[in-house]
Amino acid sequence: SAFPVAPEAEEERKNIALVETYLQNFYNLQKDDQPHVRLKSVNPLPEKLKEMQEFFGLKVTGKPDLETLEMMKKPRCGVPDIGK
Amino acid sequence: YVFTEGNPKWKRNNLTYRIVNYTPLMRRADVDEAIQKALSVWSNVTPLTFQKIEDKMADIMISFVVRDHQDNSPFDGPNGQLAHAFQPGEAIGGDVHLDNEEYWTKDGRGYNLFIVIAHELGHSLGLSHSTDPGALMYPTYAYTDPKEFHLPQDDIDGIQAIYGQSNAPVQPTGPTTPQACDPSLTFDAVTTLRGEMMFFKGRYILRKHPQRIETELNFISLFWPKLPSGIQAAYENIERDEVLLFKEDKYWVLRGYDIAPGYPKSIYRLGFPKTVKRVNAAYSDENTGKTYFFVADRYWRYDENKRSMDHGYPRKILSDFGKIGRVDAAFQKDGYVYFFHGTTQFQFDPRGKRIVRQMKSNSWFDC
């Protein structure tokens, strides 16, 4: 865009994308095909994030804290951690 | 360990595998060897056998592919997802796919092919990801020197729960992952390192930062891929900002957090007689510049300034350190020396030459 994006905002945007992709790949987070439609139902991402944090023995915060993001950036197996 | 949902397993013990193609980054013979070694990781602890076939459809088809390769699970280029595999079953069942955009190697560089394939074969046989950070079936990559690899107990328990025990007369066992608050926890070596405390145990380091409650458990190889597991002694020379690590008749020097070039060197350079084959424990007294090496029931004293052993040593540990007869690990902190022997820890006052307290070996972890 014509307006430069603040580095922090860019970083945050990347982290959110990392979290969503990771949880979709390995924790069965359903892809949100209609982001523009605000559903009344609960956002499943914090719960999925807690599931991932519990699996890896991290502090279960439901928030993408530094330790959680570092774990998500580690090279790993492509098989999901839960479910089929 | 965790079974794959639905508990899929092979109905036969004699399985076949086929290497469909090869990564251009390794010699074919090295790829063959890595795969054979990976298969034997599982066949050594179960009645399973794996026969290599060259054509036809095998139970386990092993291939190197990139990005979208028509199985609804595209790879993502270098790093990230390294490989995946499918649970036991017909057709794609049991198959292993490796991301051909990864830097595959047979050592500690890039990603070690043996380690990754051994993990994926766990999926091919019906195991899912384990929450045990030391397990082979833990989801994230962790390098271990293939020559030192032993299938961890968690994975042995899992695969034997599916296929039964090995036919070998003696059942194989594997390493367990140290738990900081396990009352039977003992240490191979302990040292300070720039204010932190490092407890060495097998292939692991339990790392304790004074300001943090949690204890971090990491593989030694995560920090220092070139270091072996099973470090036997360690001490920090605070003045020189160095940590020395000992195993058998060799030692390494860490400068800051990096292994100094030119190491390992022989411990005999320090002045040990050839009769000494290994060092059990060491600590350095930052007030006197003297370093104490403990070997069996004796100890040597080394002058860090003269860089030579003091005369009149070895002496009996019992004669100078109270009732402490043998030492597994030792370190100095705030003027006291902490000696570890088995599950017991002694706090020793080197000035008064007396033991002031006896604790459990894991008293430093907030259990």
Side-chain angles (χ1 to χ4, degrees):
Chain A
S1 70
F3 298 100
V5 177
E8 301 81 22
E10 177 62 15
E11 182 70 15
E12 187 175 339
R13 192 192 58 74
K14 276 184 186 171
N15 285 343
I16 289 173
L18 167 67
V19 167
E20 280 184 355
T21 305
Y22 195 93
L23 296 177
Q24 283 159 8
N25 283 340
F26 307 116
Y27 285 83
N28 214 19
L29 176 71
Q30 297 308 306
K31 278 200 173 89
D32 186 357
D33 298 332
Q34 297 173 310
H36 55 286
V37 174
R38 186 162 296 286
L39 299 178
K40 284 202 176 28
S41 64
V42 173
N43 173 3
L45 195 139
E47 284 314 307
K48 287 293 181 186
L49 198 49
K50 282 180 183 176
E51 213 174 334
M52 176 260 178
Q53 287 165 335
E54 199 163 342
F55 183 94
F56 282 103
L58 304 172
K59 268 205 240 64
V60 181
T61 62
K63 294 183 176 61
D65 49 50
L66 181 62
E67 205 182 19
T68 302
L69 290 172
E70 277 178 0
M71 182 60 82
M72 286 185 170
K73 288 171 184 169
K74 286 187 174 181
R76 58 161 289 157
C77 168
V79 173
D81 293 335
I82 59 168
K84 274 210 191 290
Chain B
Y1 62 85
V2 176
F3 299 135
T4 300
E5 202 171 306
N7 294 356
K9 66 170 283 186
W10 295 99
K11 307 287 184 289
R12 292 174 279 111
N13 283 343
N14 56 334
L15 302 175
T16 58
Y17 75 97
R18 175 180 160 195
I19 305 172
V20 176
N21 64 345
Y22 286 78
T23 168
L25 298 178
M26 291 175 66
R27 293 186 316 135
R28 287 180 69 114
D30 289 340
V31 171
D32 288 347
E33 186 182 343
I35 291 172
Q36 276 164 25
K37 184 176 173 60
L39 288 160
S40 62
V41 159
W42 300 105
S43 59
N44 286 345
V45 297
T46 62
L48 293 173
T49 61
F50 299 96
Q51 182 195 353
K52 185 178 183 189
I53 61 176
E54 296 301 338
D55 42 35
K56 293 189 297 177
M57 174 72 87
D59 298 312
I60 298 173
M61 304 282 274
I62 300 169
S63 54
F64 293 84
V65 293
V66 292
R67 309 292 172 151
D68 183 6
H69 49 282
Q70 283 81 49
D71 65 11
N72 204 26
S73 300
F75 281 139
D76 53 0
N79 308 312
Q81 295 184 44
L82 306 179
H84 55 226
F86 295 85
Q87 64 188 53
E90 293 307 313
I92 200 171
D95 290 1
V96 174
H97 297 169
L98 300 136
D99 186 347
N100 214 4
E101 290 186 79
E102 304 301 351
Y103 175 28
W104 297 110
T105 72
K106 65 175 189 177
D107 50 40
R109 298 166 299 150
Y111 297 106
N112 182 275
L113 183 63
F114 156 69
I115 291 286
V116 172
I117 283 192
H119 171 100
E120 298 307 331
L121 286 168
H123 292 308
S124 303
L125 298 175
L127 284 176
S128 191
H129 285 149
S130 169
T131 57
D132 176 340
L136 174 62
M137 292 312 291
Y138 194 67
T140 55
Y141 174 82
Y143 173 68
T144 297
D145 182 346
K147 291 192 290 298
E148 293 188 352
F149 180 82
H150 297 282
L151 186 63
Q153 194 60 48
D154 181 76
D155 304 289
I156 292 174
D157 296 344
I159 202 70
Q160 288 187 344
I162 300 176
Y163 295 100
Q165 292 189 327
S166 151
N167 297 326
V170 175
Q171 279 308 307
T173 58
T176 53
T177 306
Q179 306 290 330
C181 293
D182 173 359
S184 63
L185 183 61
T186 61
F187 300 112
D188 302 332
V190 179
T191 182
T192 51
L193 191 154
R194 290 186 171 179
E196 294 189 77
M197 299 165 69
M198 300 289 197
F199 299 79
F200 289 81
K201 177 72 175 175
R203 14 180 215 147
Y204 301 95
I205 294 179
L206 291 93
R207 180 183 183 186
K208 187 71 175 66
H209 191 286
Q211 269 85 46
R212 270 200 236 131
I213 291 177
E214 309 90 17
T215 303
E216 245 185 61
L217 177 73
N218 289 297
F219 290 110
I220 294 174
S221 62
L222 179 70
F223 302 119
W224 306 296
K226 290 202 170 72
L227 270 190
S229 54
I231 296 295
Q232 294 162 333
Y235 75 88
E236 181 176 25
N237 182 321
I238 292 175
E239 195 169 321
R240 280 211 214 96
D241 192 21
E242 287 179 347
V243 169
L244 280 76
L245 301 165
F246 294 77
K247 181 175 184 179
E248 310 300 337
D249 60 355
K250 295 187 183 60
Y251 73 100
W252 292 256
V253 170
L254 297 183
R255 288 209 181 92
Y257 292 97
D258 301 313
I259 296 178
Y263 288 87
K265 293 182 187 308
S266 161
I267 62 171
Y268 304 112
R269 298 175 75 247
L270 301 172
F272 286 106
K274 288 288 186 187
T275 50
V276 171
K277 303 301 180 193
R278 58 166 283 172
V279 178
N280 293 118
Y283 81 87
S284 189
D285 189 324
E286 60 179 309
N287 302 316
T288 62
K290 304 282 188 183
T291 297
Y292 296 78
F293 292 108
F294 300 88
V295 177
D297 63 346
R298 299 167 185 284
Y299 77 96
W300 275 259
R301 195 176 74 184
Y302 180 83
D303 186 308
E304 289 287 348
N305 300 314
K306 291 181 201 159
R307 296 190 183 237
S308 62
M309 290 287 189
D310 283 341
H311 295 292
Y313 293 87
R315 293 173 53 85
K316 282 252 182 198
I317 297 173
L318 270 174
S319 54
D320 297 325
F321 291 94
K323 64 178 181 180
I324 304 170
R326 289 174 180 264
V327 182
D328 297 335
F331 75 100
Q332 184 181 52
K333 185 173 175 57
D334 304 331
Y336 289 98
V337 181
Y338 296 85
F339 289 111
F340 296 78
H341 184 216
T343 60
T344 305
Q345 183 184 178
F346 301 97
Q347 183 183 4
F348 182 77
D349 176 3
R351 293 165 298 271
K353 289 193 181 302
R354 63 187 183 81
I355 294 171
V356 296
R357 211 166 35 129
Q358 181 171 322
M359 303 92 87
K360 288 291 291 173
S361 58
N362 57 3
S363 69
W364 296 92
F365 311 133
D366 295 320
C367 298

